[in-house]
Amino acid sequence: MRSIAELLAANLHDVFGCRDADRRAAMIGDIYADDIVFTDPDGVTTGRAQVAAKIDKLLAGIPEQVTFTDAGPIYLGPDRGALAWRLGPADAPIARGVDVITVDAGRITSMVTLLAP
């Protein structure tokens, strides 16, 4: 079973940061609960397949050389964690945000993405 810190890292790098669709799909199956609820400024998405489709669409709109990177420490609680990230170069990111996850039985059951203005 992965720790909350490992789940946060896998979510950022092996899901949102992964350009290989098969590898990304396998990781989604490994770290997300079947009924994951993902909330971001665009709304609420429920279930692995719908979240995967949302991520596919996001990555299709971002040039391959633009990547997600950690942008601060990981924050941990008993069943939650948070990780700040940036999209693009450190000195001029396209977007910045924080992912807050809730974990149960070693899988992400909910994720909220907050974007910096």
XYZ file of all heavy atoms in Angstrom:
863
model
N 0.842 -1.175 0.000
C 0.000 0.000 0.000
C 0.890 1.242 0.000
O 1.832 1.337 0.773
C -0.913 -0.024 1.228
C -1.933 1.053 1.192
S -3.209 1.063 2.502
C -3.257 -0.549 3.153
N 0.566 2.176 -0.868
C 1.347 3.410 -0.976
C 1.002 4.387 0.149
O -0.140 4.462 0.583
C 1.066 4.093 -2.305
C 1.518 3.309 -3.504
C 1.066 4.050 -4.763
N 1.184 3.203 -5.920
C 2.171 3.264 -6.795
N 3.131 4.138 -6.649
N 2.208 2.457 -7.828
N 1.992 5.149 0.557
C 1.756 6.196 1.548
C 1.067 7.383 0.876
O 1.030 7.484 -0.363
C 3.086 6.653 2.152
O 3.839 7.374 1.179
N 0.563 8.292 1.679
C -0.069 9.497 1.129
C 0.948 10.301 0.318
O 0.634 10.789 -0.765
C -0.715 10.327 2.253
C -1.884 9.544 2.859
C -1.183 11.682 1.731
C -2.495 10.162 4.104
N 2.157 10.420 0.810
C 3.198 11.145 0.073
C 3.474 10.476 -1.274
O 3.627 11.162 -2.301
C 4.474 11.221 0.903
N 3.526 9.154 -1.292
C 3.750 8.432 -2.551
C 2.584 8.625 -3.512
O 2.779 8.763 -4.727
C 3.973 6.949 -2.278
C 5.293 6.666 -1.590
C 5.410 5.244 -1.060
O 4.382 4.610 -0.732
O 6.568 4.767 -0.976
N 1.366 8.639 -2.983
C 0.191 8.850 -3.832
C 0.203 10.255 -4.442
O -0.120 10.423 -5.627
C -1.097 8.620 -3.040
C -1.396 7.168 -2.686
C -2.521 7.095 -1.660
C -1.743 6.365 -3.929
N 0.563 11.260 -3.659
C 0.654 12.619 -4.189
C 1.677 12.703 -5.319
O 1.416 13.298 -6.368
C 1.026 13.606 -3.080
C -0.085 13.982 -2.123
C 0.486 14.588 -0.848
C -1.074 14.942 -2.790
N 2.840 12.105 -5.113
C 3.887 12.128 -6.138
C 3.448 11.368 -7.385
O 3.651 11.838 -8.516
C 5.187 11.550 -5.578
N 2.852 10.196 -7.202
C 2.392 9.405 -8.346
C 1.304 10.147 -9.118
O 1.282 10.136 -10.357
C 1.884 8.043 -7.874
N 0.406 10.794 -8.406
C -0.657 11.545 -9.062
C -0.083 12.654 -9.949
O -0.487 12.814 -11.097
C -1.603 12.136 -8.012
C -2.711 12.937 -8.625
O -3.549 12.417 -9.350
N -2.715 14.226 -8.347
N 0.877 13.397 -9.432
C 1.454 14.501 -10.190
C 2.318 14.007 -11.346
O 2.161 14.451 -12.487
C 2.282 15.408 -9.275
C 2.879 16.641 -9.966
C 1.785 17.575 -10.478
C 3.816 17.372 -9.016
N 3.227 13.085 -11.067
C 4.216 12.695 -12.067
C 3.782 11.541 -12.967
O 4.079 11.555 -14.158
C 5.539 12.349 -11.371
C 6.090 13.496 -10.592
N 6.557 14.650 -11.179
C 6.201 13.691 -9.249
C 6.956 15.491 -10.244
N 6.747 14.938 -9.072
N 3.110 10.547 -12.412
C 2.769 9.342 -13.171
C 1.361 9.361 -13.740
O 0.995 8.457 -14.500
C 2.944 8.102 -12.297
C 4.375 7.957 -11.797
O 5.307 8.280 -12.557
O 4.563 7.527 -10.645
N 0.563 10.348 -13.364
C -0.771 10.513 -13.960
C -0.777 11.812 -14.759
O -0.731 11.795 -15.982
C -1.897 10.473 -12.900
C -3.239 10.777 -13.546
C -1.944 9.120 -12.204
N -0.807 12.943 -14.084
C -0.893 14.218 -14.795
C 0.353 14.506 -15.624
O 0.262 15.155 -16.665
C -1.163 15.358 -13.810
C -2.595 15.448 -13.397
C -3.073 14.671 -12.356
C -3.475 16.283 -14.057
C -4.407 14.735 -11.970
C -4.814 16.349 -13.692
C -5.284 15.571 -12.645
N 1.497 14.018 -15.201
C 2.733 14.280 -15.927
C 3.134 13.197 -16.909
O 4.188 13.295 -17.521
N 2.306 12.180 -17.097
C 2.663 11.043 -17.942
C 2.041 11.174 -19.323
O 0.821 11.242 -19.454
C 2.220 9.737 -17.280
S 2.645 8.279 -18.248
N 2.853 11.163 -20.354
C 2.382 11.278 -21.743
C 2.066 9.922 -22.366
O 1.453 9.866 -23.416
C 3.429 11.996 -22.595
C 3.699 13.423 -22.158
C 2.506 14.286 -22.399
N 2.761 15.668 -21.990
C 2.119 16.689 -22.484
N 1.189 16.532 -23.386
N 2.385 17.899 -22.040
N 2.464 8.837 -21.723
C 2.184 7.491 -22.231
C 0.798 7.072 -21.732
O 0.602 6.816 -20.542
C 3.254 6.533 -21.728
C 3.068 5.114 -22.206
O 1.957 4.565 -22.055
O 4.043 4.542 -22.721
N -0.183 7.007 -22.639
C -1.577 6.752 -22.268
C -1.758 5.413 -21.552
O -2.542 5.329 -20.597
C -2.465 6.817 -23.496
N -1.064 4.377 -21.974
C -1.212 3.064 -21.334
C -0.646 3.080 -19.918
O -1.257 2.549 -18.990
C -0.534 1.968 -22.161
C -1.233 1.718 -23.493
O -2.457 1.983 -23.590
O -0.555 1.276 -24.436
N 0.516 3.678 -19.751
C 1.120 3.763 -18.429
C 0.269 4.628 -17.496
O 0.065 4.306 -16.329
C 2.540 4.327 -18.544
C 3.364 4.092 -17.296
C 4.815 4.445 -17.503
N 5.098 5.484 -16.532
C 5.799 6.575 -16.755
N 6.334 6.791 -17.917
N 5.989 7.449 -15.816
N -0.258 5.728 -18.040
C -1.119 6.611 -17.252
C -2.388 5.873 -16.822
O -2.803 5.944 -15.665
C -1.462 7.869 -18.058
C -2.248 8.885 -17.277
C -2.409 10.203 -18.027
N -3.059 10.066 -19.313
C -2.457 10.206 -20.492
N -1.169 10.483 -20.562
N -3.132 10.074 -21.614
N -3.000 5.125 -17.733
C -4.218 4.375 -17.413
C -3.945 3.330 -16.334
O -4.766 3.149 -15.418
C -4.778 3.707 -18.665
N -2.819 2.668 -16.410
C -2.468 1.672 -15.391
C -2.303 2.337 -14.030
O -2.757 1.805 -13.003
C -1.193 0.930 -15.791
N -1.674 3.496 -13.995
C -1.475 4.200 -12.726
C -2.805 4.697 -12.171
O -3.039 4.616 -10.963
C -0.498 5.360 -12.908
C -0.129 6.045 -11.615
S 0.625 4.975 -10.359
C 2.195 4.600 -11.100
N -3.678 5.179 -13.032
C -5.007 5.605 -12.592
C -5.717 4.435 -11.923
O -6.320 4.591 -10.860
C -5.822 6.178 -13.766
C -5.282 7.560 -14.132
C -7.320 6.231 -13.446
C -5.830 8.130 -15.425
N -5.638 3.253 -12.515
C -6.251 2.064 -11.927
C -5.615 1.663 -10.616
O -6.274 1.086 -9.748
N -4.353 2.000 -10.448
C -3.616 1.619 -9.246
C -3.833 2.579 -8.073
O -3.937 2.136 -6.935
C -2.125 1.541 -9.580
C -1.287 0.964 -8.462
O -1.741 0.018 -7.796
O -0.171 1.467 -8.243
N -3.907 3.880 -8.353
C -3.915 4.832 -7.232
C -5.264 5.485 -6.956
O -5.452 6.046 -5.884
C -2.832 5.922 -7.382
C -3.125 6.881 -8.530
C -1.447 5.291 -7.505
C -2.223 8.115 -8.545
N -6.206 5.435 -7.892
C -7.514 6.057 -7.679
C -8.546 5.009 -7.292
O -8.572 3.915 -7.857
C -8.021 6.746 -8.947
C -7.273 7.980 -9.391
C -7.484 8.489 -10.660
C -6.374 8.651 -8.580
C -6.827 9.624 -11.109
C -5.711 9.782 -9.012
C -5.941 10.261 -10.283
O -5.286 11.386 -10.721
N -9.441 5.358 -6.382
C -10.594 4.516 -6.069
C -11.511 4.495 -7.297
O -11.497 5.427 -8.109
C -11.347 5.078 -4.865
N -12.302 3.442 -7.438
C -13.233 3.335 -8.569
C -14.113 4.568 -8.696
O -14.382 5.038 -9.786
C -14.149 2.112 -8.426
C -13.406 0.803 -8.587
O -12.330 0.776 -9.213
O -13.922 -0.217 -8.074
N -14.573 5.075 -7.563
C -15.532 6.184 -7.551
C -14.883 7.510 -7.150
O -15.522 8.363 -6.539
C -16.693 5.859 -6.631
C -16.251 5.566 -5.202
O -15.022 5.441 -4.948
O -17.123 5.458 -4.324
N -13.629 7.701 -7.535
C -12.926 8.943 -7.209
C -13.764 10.159 -7.606
O -14.452 10.143 -8.633
C -11.545 9.015 -7.884
C -10.829 10.311 -7.459
C -11.649 8.855 -9.384
C -9.392 10.408 -7.836
N -13.680 11.183 -6.787
C -14.343 12.460 -7.072
C -13.235 13.505 -7.210
O -12.479 13.738 -6.275
C -15.328 12.847 -5.951
C -15.933 14.218 -6.230
C -16.400 11.790 -5.787
N -13.161 14.104 -8.392
C -12.142 15.110 -8.691
C -12.843 16.446 -8.894
O -13.719 16.579 -9.745
C -11.371 14.704 -9.943
C -10.397 15.728 -10.457
C -9.572 16.436 -9.602
C -10.279 15.976 -11.813
C -8.664 17.373 -10.077
C -9.374 16.901 -12.307
C -8.569 17.600 -11.438
N -12.453 17.423 -8.087
C -13.044 18.754 -8.167
C -11.958 19.752 -8.536
O -10.893 19.780 -7.913
C -13.666 19.140 -6.806
O -14.589 18.122 -6.405
C -14.368 20.477 -6.891
N -12.244 20.530 -9.559
C -11.344 21.611 -9.956
C -12.203 22.810 -10.366
O -13.434 22.736 -10.276
C -10.381 21.158 -11.049
C -11.029 20.879 -12.390
O -12.257 21.051 -12.530
O -10.311 20.483 -13.321
N -11.596 23.914 -10.788
C -12.405 25.086 -11.134
C -13.444 24.836 -12.233
O -14.405 25.586 -12.350
C -11.369 26.126 -11.565
C -10.156 25.762 -10.766
C -10.160 24.248 -10.755
N -13.263 23.785 -13.035
C -14.229 23.468 -14.089
C -15.431 22.694 -13.584
O -16.408 22.532 -14.307
C -13.563 22.658 -15.203
C -12.530 23.478 -15.968
O -12.685 24.710 -16.043
O -11.568 22.875 -16.475
N -15.363 22.140 -12.357
C -16.489 21.392 -11.828
C -16.063 20.103 -11.162
O -14.912 19.940 -10.760
N -17.000 19.167 -11.089
C -16.783 17.887 -10.414
C -16.835 16.767 -11.452
O -17.746 16.721 -12.282
C -17.852 17.660 -9.323
C -17.657 16.305 -8.660
C -17.807 18.774 -8.292
N -15.847 15.887 -11.375
C -15.772 14.722 -12.249
C -15.717 13.494 -11.356
O -14.935 13.457 -10.407
C -14.513 14.794 -13.144
O -14.519 16.034 -13.847
C -14.461 13.652 -14.128
N -16.528 12.482 -11.663
C -16.615 11.298 -10.804
C -16.295 10.032 -11.600
O -16.772 9.865 -12.717
C -18.034 11.177 -10.210
O -18.319 12.382 -9.490
C -18.123 10.001 -9.249
N -15.501 9.164 -10.987
C -15.163 7.866 -11.570
C -13.856 7.901 -12.336
O -13.484 8.914 -12.926
N -13.177 6.753 -12.321
C -11.867 6.670 -12.976
C -11.928 7.023 -14.459
O -11.067 7.756 -14.958
C -11.297 5.260 -12.834
C -10.742 4.934 -11.502
C -10.158 3.529 -11.550
N -9.760 3.101 -10.240
C -9.691 1.834 -9.891
N -10.003 0.878 -10.747
N -9.309 1.505 -8.682
N -12.886 6.470 -15.171
C -12.951 6.691 -16.619
C -13.147 8.168 -16.947
O -12.507 8.697 -17.870
C -14.063 5.847 -17.244
N -14.002 8.842 -16.202
C -14.251 10.254 -16.468
C -13.049 11.117 -16.101
O -12.723 12.069 -16.808
C -15.505 10.729 -15.714
C -16.799 10.162 -16.259
C -17.042 8.702 -15.845
O -16.425 8.191 -14.916
N -17.926 8.039 -16.557
N -12.392 10.776 -14.997
C -11.194 11.514 -14.614
C -10.093 11.274 -15.651
O -9.406 12.208 -16.065
C -10.729 11.138 -13.190
C -9.373 11.755 -12.874
C -11.766 11.584 -12.154
N -9.940 10.039 -16.109
C -8.937 9.733 -17.141
C -9.204 10.531 -18.405
O -8.268 11.083 -19.010
C -8.935 8.237 -17.431
N -10.465 10.625 -18.821
C -10.809 11.389 -20.020
C -10.471 12.867 -19.835
O -9.985 13.527 -20.764
C -12.289 11.211 -20.352
N -10.716 13.382 -18.654
C -10.403 14.795 -18.360
C -8.895 15.033 -18.450
O -8.447 16.029 -19.017
C -10.933 15.164 -16.980
C -10.763 16.628 -16.630
C -11.445 16.930 -15.316
C -11.333 18.379 -14.961
N -12.335 19.225 -15.581
N -8.114 14.114 -17.895
C -6.655 14.251 -17.935
C -6.155 14.114 -19.371
O -5.270 14.867 -19.803
C -5.991 13.220 -16.997
C -6.369 13.532 -15.543
C -4.477 13.233 -17.184
C -6.046 12.424 -14.567
N -6.712 13.170 -20.136
C -6.338 13.017 -21.549
C -6.541 14.329 -22.299
O -5.678 14.768 -23.056
C -7.170 11.927 -22.222
C -6.838 10.521 -21.738
O -5.798 10.329 -21.073
O -7.649 9.612 -22.023
N -7.692 14.960 -22.089
C -8.004 16.224 -22.763
C -7.042 17.328 -22.334
O -6.554 18.095 -23.163
C -9.446 16.620 -22.454
C -9.893 17.858 -23.171
C -11.356 18.160 -22.875
C -11.768 19.461 -23.540
N -13.142 19.835 -23.225
N -6.747 17.393 -21.037
C -5.806 18.390 -20.527
C -4.439 18.232 -21.184
O -3.871 19.187 -21.707
C -5.668 18.265 -19.006
C -4.563 19.098 -18.367
C -4.929 20.569 -18.359
C -4.279 18.613 -16.964
N -3.919 17.008 -21.175
C -2.585 16.773 -21.726
C -2.533 16.991 -23.232
O -1.505 17.414 -23.758
C -2.102 15.365 -21.361
C -1.776 15.163 -19.883
C -1.421 13.707 -19.602
C -0.660 16.086 -19.437
N -3.625 16.725 -23.926
C -3.665 16.953 -25.377
C -3.519 18.434 -25.713
O -3.043 18.782 -26.798
C -4.953 16.397 -25.967
N -3.892 19.305 -24.776
C -3.810 20.739 -25.008
C -2.533 21.397 -24.521
O -2.405 22.619 -24.594
N -1.591 20.594 -24.031
C -0.336 21.128 -23.488
C 0.820 20.590 -24.319
O 0.930 19.372 -24.498
C -0.140 20.695 -22.015
C -1.290 21.195 -21.139
C 1.193 21.197 -21.484
C -1.261 20.601 -19.738
N 1.709 21.451 -24.813
C 2.867 20.953 -25.558
C 3.687 19.967 -24.714
O 3.792 20.120 -23.487
C 3.683 22.218 -25.848
C 2.720 23.356 -25.708
C 1.706 22.915 -24.694
N 4.269 18.962 -25.364
C 5.001 17.911 -24.645
C 6.170 18.420 -23.821
O 6.512 17.820 -22.805
C 5.473 16.831 -25.623
C 4.337 15.962 -26.070
C 4.798 14.679 -26.700
O 5.859 14.151 -26.317
O 4.077 14.201 -27.583
N 6.778 19.506 -24.230
C 7.929 20.021 -23.474
C 7.505 20.743 -22.193
O 8.340 21.057 -21.350
C 8.818 20.914 -24.345
C 8.174 22.202 -24.788
C 7.388 22.084 -26.092
O 6.949 21.016 -26.486
N 7.197 23.202 -26.760
N 6.230 20.998 -22.016
C 5.716 21.655 -20.815
C 5.354 20.566 -19.804
O 4.565 19.673 -20.105
C 4.490 22.534 -21.146
C 3.911 23.142 -19.881
C 4.868 23.611 -22.147
N 5.948 20.630 -18.622
C 5.778 19.559 -17.639
C 5.299 20.081 -16.285
O 5.443 21.261 -15.976
C 7.104 18.801 -17.437
O 8.093 19.721 -16.972
C 7.579 18.152 -18.726
N 4.755 19.150 -15.510
C 4.361 19.425 -14.131
C 5.549 19.143 -13.215
O 6.241 18.127 -13.388
C 3.216 18.501 -13.704
C 1.887 18.868 -14.286
C 1.447 18.304 -15.467
C 1.057 19.769 -13.629
C 0.208 18.620 -16.001
C -0.183 20.101 -14.155
C -0.618 19.527 -15.343
N 5.786 20.021 -12.244
C 6.831 19.794 -11.248
C 6.316 20.174 -9.868
O 5.394 20.990 -9.742
C 8.101 20.617 -11.547
O 7.756 22.000 -11.637
C 8.771 20.175 -12.837
N 6.922 19.580 -8.844
C 6.606 19.942 -7.461
C 6.984 21.403 -7.243
O 7.971 21.880 -7.802
C 7.430 19.108 -6.479
C 7.189 17.619 -6.604
O 6.718 17.159 -7.649
O 7.475 16.912 -5.634
N 6.221 22.083 -6.399
C 6.511 23.494 -6.139
C 6.487 23.800 -4.646
O 6.112 24.877 -4.225
C 5.512 24.376 -6.878
N 6.875 22.838 -3.867
C 6.889 23.062 -2.429
C 6.835 21.747 -1.695
O 6.832 20.680 -2.300
N 6.759 21.825 -0.394
C 6.731 20.598 0.405
C 5.386 19.884 0.296
O 4.391 20.466 -0.132
C 6.946 21.112 1.832
C 6.402 22.496 1.816
C 6.696 23.027 0.441
N 5.391 18.632 0.688
C 4.161 17.851 0.805
C 3.630 18.056 2.222
O 4.392 18.033 3.190
C 4.443 16.355 0.539
C 4.793 16.161 -0.936
C 3.269 15.491 0.947
C 5.173 14.737 -1.288
N 2.326 18.250 2.330
C 1.668 18.390 3.627
C 0.843 17.136 3.863
O 0.120 16.688 2.966
C 0.768 19.628 3.652
C 1.553 20.899 3.468
C 1.769 21.426 2.209
C 2.091 21.565 4.565
C 2.505 22.588 2.028
C 2.827 22.724 4.404
C 3.034 23.227 3.130
O 3.764 24.378 2.955
N 0.958 16.575 5.068
C 0.307 15.301 5.365
C -0.571 15.382 6.598
O -0.231 16.043 7.573
C 1.364 14.211 5.589
C 2.306 13.944 4.422
C 3.418 12.995 4.859
C 1.539 13.383 3.242
N -1.687 14.671 6.548
C -2.570 14.469 7.686
C -2.878 12.986 7.757
O -2.351 12.196 6.966
N -3.739 12.572 8.669
C -4.011 11.142 8.839
C -4.573 10.465 7.586
O -4.219 9.339 7.280
C -5.024 11.089 9.976
C -5.024 12.429 10.608
C -4.451 13.397 9.633
N -5.449 11.154 6.858
C -6.024 10.563 5.652
C -6.046 11.549 4.487
O -6.738 11.346 3.496
C -7.441 10.036 5.913
C -8.427 11.145 6.267
O -7.987 12.285 6.551
O -9.641 10.882 6.258
N -5.258 12.626 4.600
C -5.213 13.660 3.574
C -3.781 14.106 3.335
O -2.924 13.971 4.187
C -6.041 14.878 3.986
C -7.516 14.621 3.975
C -8.297 15.891 4.296
N -9.716 15.624 4.244
C -10.431 15.146 5.253
N -9.854 14.893 6.403
N -11.722 14.918 5.116
N -3.598 14.691 2.171
C -2.307 15.271 1.854
C -2.473 16.357 0.822
O -3.491 16.424 0.122
N -1.474 17.225 0.725
C -1.504 18.319 -0.243
C -0.117 18.501 -0.842
O 0.898 18.307 -0.158
C -1.966 19.611 0.417
N -0.108 18.854 -2.122
C 1.142 19.078 -2.839
C 0.951 20.257 -3.790
O 0.038 20.245 -4.622
C 1.540 17.836 -3.639
C 2.740 17.969 -4.575
C 4.016 18.246 -3.785
C 2.900 16.719 -5.418
N 1.812 21.264 -3.655
C 1.811 22.384 -4.597
C 2.573 21.968 -5.843
O 3.531 21.200 -5.780
C 2.449 23.613 -3.954
N 2.136 22.478 -6.991
C 2.775 22.141 -8.259
C 2.786 23.363 -9.174
O 2.120 24.352 -8.923
C 2.059 20.978 -8.945
C 0.571 21.183 -9.079
C -0.399 20.719 -8.237
C -0.109 21.931 -10.091
N -1.640 21.139 -8.666
C -1.487 21.883 -9.811
C 0.311 22.655 -11.209
C -2.444 22.507 -10.599
C -0.643 23.284 -12.007
C -2.002 23.197 -11.689
N 3.565 23.240 -10.226
C 3.552 24.251 -11.273
C 3.614 23.534 -12.615
O 4.132 22.421 -12.714
C 4.675 25.265 -11.109
C 6.044 24.736 -11.365
C 7.112 25.839 -11.187
N 8.371 25.212 -10.881
C 8.882 25.080 -9.661
N 8.270 25.574 -8.624
N 10.027 24.476 -9.479
N 3.079 24.183 -13.610
C 3.099 23.669 -14.978
C 3.941 24.623 -15.796
O 3.608 25.804 -15.917
C 1.675 23.586 -15.540
C 1.526 23.135 -16.988
C 2.066 21.721 -17.173
C 0.067 23.211 -17.421
N 5.044 24.109 -16.319
C 5.949 24.941 -17.106
C 7.197 25.291 -16.324
O 7.426 24.782 -15.228
N 8.005 26.182 -16.872
C 9.279 26.515 -16.243
C 9.106 27.198 -14.887
O 8.137 27.924 -14.669
C 9.952 27.457 -17.242
C 8.944 27.806 -18.259
C 7.772 26.895 -18.123
N 10.055 26.969 -14.001
C 9.993 27.513 -12.648
C 9.912 29.038 -12.648
O 9.228 29.636 -11.823
C 11.197 27.054 -11.835
N 10.606 29.678 -13.590
C 10.635 31.133 -13.599
C 9.447 31.770 -14.317
O 9.222 32.968 -14.197
C 11.953 31.633 -14.198
C 12.169 31.144 -15.627
O 11.483 30.200 -16.068
O 13.045 31.716 -16.301
N 8.663 30.967 -15.046
C 7.499 31.505 -15.762
C 6.449 30.414 -15.973
O 6.146 30.039 -17.102
C 7.939 32.093 -17.097
N 5.883 29.885 -14.892
C 4.913 28.796 -15.058
C 3.649 29.260 -15.785
O 3.227 30.414 -15.656
C 4.600 28.375 -13.628
C 4.975 29.525 -12.778
C 6.059 30.260 -13.497
N 3.065 28.345 -16.529
C 1.790 28.593 -17.214
C 0.663 28.565 -16.188
O -0.301 29.316 -16.285
C 1.557 27.523 -18.291
C 2.612 27.620 -19.375
C 0.156 27.632 -18.879
C 2.627 26.442 -20.319
N 0.794 27.666 -15.223
C -0.215 27.527 -14.169
C 0.474 27.051 -12.901
O 1.518 26.394 -12.949
C -1.294 26.538 -14.580
N -0.145 27.403 -11.771
C 0.322 26.935 -10.464
C -0.901 26.515 -9.674
O -1.983 27.098 -9.819
C 1.049 28.037 -9.704
C 2.354 28.467 -10.337
C 3.019 29.616 -9.597
N 2.166 30.806 -9.622
C 1.812 31.497 -8.544
N 2.247 31.155 -7.337
N 1.036 32.552 -8.640
N -0.720 25.503 -8.824
C -1.849 25.072 -8.026
C -1.444 24.165 -6.893
O -0.250 23.936 -6.647
N -2.458 23.660 -6.221
C -2.274 22.729 -5.113
C -3.298 21.618 -5.288
O -4.471 21.886 -5.557
C -2.502 23.414 -3.746
C -2.440 22.406 -2.610
C -1.507 24.526 -3.529
N -2.843 20.374 -5.164
C -3.744 19.230 -5.146
C -3.897 18.777 -3.701
O -2.901 18.575 -2.996
C -3.185 18.067 -5.968
C -3.190 18.337 -7.452
O -4.013 19.166 -7.906
O -2.387 17.722 -8.173
N -5.136 18.626 -3.264
C -5.451 18.116 -1.934
C -6.186 16.797 -2.136
O -7.226 16.760 -2.811
C -6.332 19.103 -1.137
C -6.633 18.547 0.245
C -5.664 20.467 -1.052
N -5.622 15.721 -1.585
C -6.236 14.405 -1.765
C -6.739 13.854 -0.437
O -6.216 14.191 0.631
C -5.271 13.395 -2.414
C -4.045 13.124 -1.527
C -4.842 13.864 -3.802
C -3.177 11.966 -1.993
N -7.747 13.013 -0.534
C -8.220 12.210 0.589
C -7.977 10.760 0.203
O -8.234 10.355 -0.937
C -9.716 12.448 0.859
O -9.917 13.842 1.105
C -10.197 11.653 2.059
N -7.487 9.986 1.161
C -7.082 8.609 0.897
C -7.828 7.651 1.821
O -8.016 7.942 3.007
C -5.553 8.459 1.095
C -5.104 7.022 0.959
C -4.802 9.368 0.126
N -8.234 6.520 1.259
C -8.834 5.444 2.038
C -8.332 4.127 1.453
O -8.348 3.943 0.230
C -10.361 5.509 1.978
C -11.020 4.474 2.871
O -10.517 4.215 3.978
O -12.043 3.900 2.439
N -7.880 3.246 2.307
C -7.390 1.925 1.893
C -6.318 2.016 0.806
O -6.275 1.202 -0.111
C -8.557 1.051 1.435
N -5.452 3.020 0.916
C -4.321 3.128 -0.001
C -4.637 3.674 -1.379
O -3.800 3.613 -2.271
N -5.836 4.241 -1.567
C -6.215 4.829 -2.855
C -6.784 6.228 -2.657
O -7.384 6.532 -1.632
C -7.247 3.962 -3.559
C -6.658 2.637 -3.957
C -7.584 1.894 -4.850
N -6.972 0.619 -5.155
C -6.947 0.095 -6.344
N -7.510 0.712 -7.346
N -6.375 -1.074 -6.537
N -6.622 7.044 -3.675
C -7.165 8.396 -3.642
C -8.665 8.307 -3.896
O -9.098 7.820 -4.943
C -6.484 9.292 -4.690
C -4.973 9.381 -4.429
C -7.125 10.682 -4.705
C -4.185 10.071 -5.538
N -9.453 8.779 -2.925
C -10.905 8.765 -3.071
C -11.453 10.107 -3.528
O -12.519 10.165 -4.137
C -11.591 8.369 -1.746
O -11.205 9.299 -0.729
C -11.214 6.956 -1.333
N -10.728 11.172 -3.206
C -11.120 12.483 -3.703
C -9.885 13.348 -3.885
O -8.880 13.165 -3.199
C -12.125 13.167 -2.768
O -11.509 13.574 -1.586
N -9.997 14.246 -4.848
C -8.917 15.190 -5.104
C -9.547 16.535 -5.436
O -10.480 16.602 -6.248
C -8.036 14.730 -6.259
C -6.933 15.715 -6.598
S -5.704 15.097 -7.770
C -6.695 14.476 -9.095
N -9.025 17.562 -4.813
C -9.443 18.934 -5.107
C -8.206 19.660 -5.616
O -7.159 19.647 -4.959
C -10.008 19.638 -3.856
C -10.349 21.085 -4.159
C -11.223 18.880 -3.317
N -8.326 20.262 -6.783
C -7.244 21.066 -7.334
C -7.615 22.535 -7.206
O -8.674 22.957 -7.687
C -6.978 20.711 -8.804
O -6.511 19.355 -8.871
C -5.928 21.625 -9.416
N -6.755 23.278 -6.538
C -6.918 24.710 -6.357
C -5.885 25.411 -7.219
O -4.697 25.044 -7.189
C -6.720 25.099 -4.896
C -7.565 24.312 -3.880
C -7.104 24.613 -2.469
C -9.033 24.620 -4.061
N -6.301 26.385 -8.006
C -5.374 27.089 -8.891
C -5.028 28.455 -8.326
O -5.881 29.134 -7.758
C -5.996 27.245 -10.277
C -6.283 25.957 -11.035
C -6.933 26.273 -12.372
C -5.035 25.119 -11.217
N -3.791 28.867 -8.531
C -3.356 30.199 -8.133
C -3.898 31.206 -9.141
O -3.963 30.912 -10.343
C -1.836 30.272 -8.083
N -4.289 32.374 -8.666
C -4.813 33.399 -9.607
C -3.734 33.934 -10.519
O -2.581 33.832 -10.283
C -5.336 34.484 -8.682
C -4.783 34.215 -7.327
C -4.291 32.816 -7.309
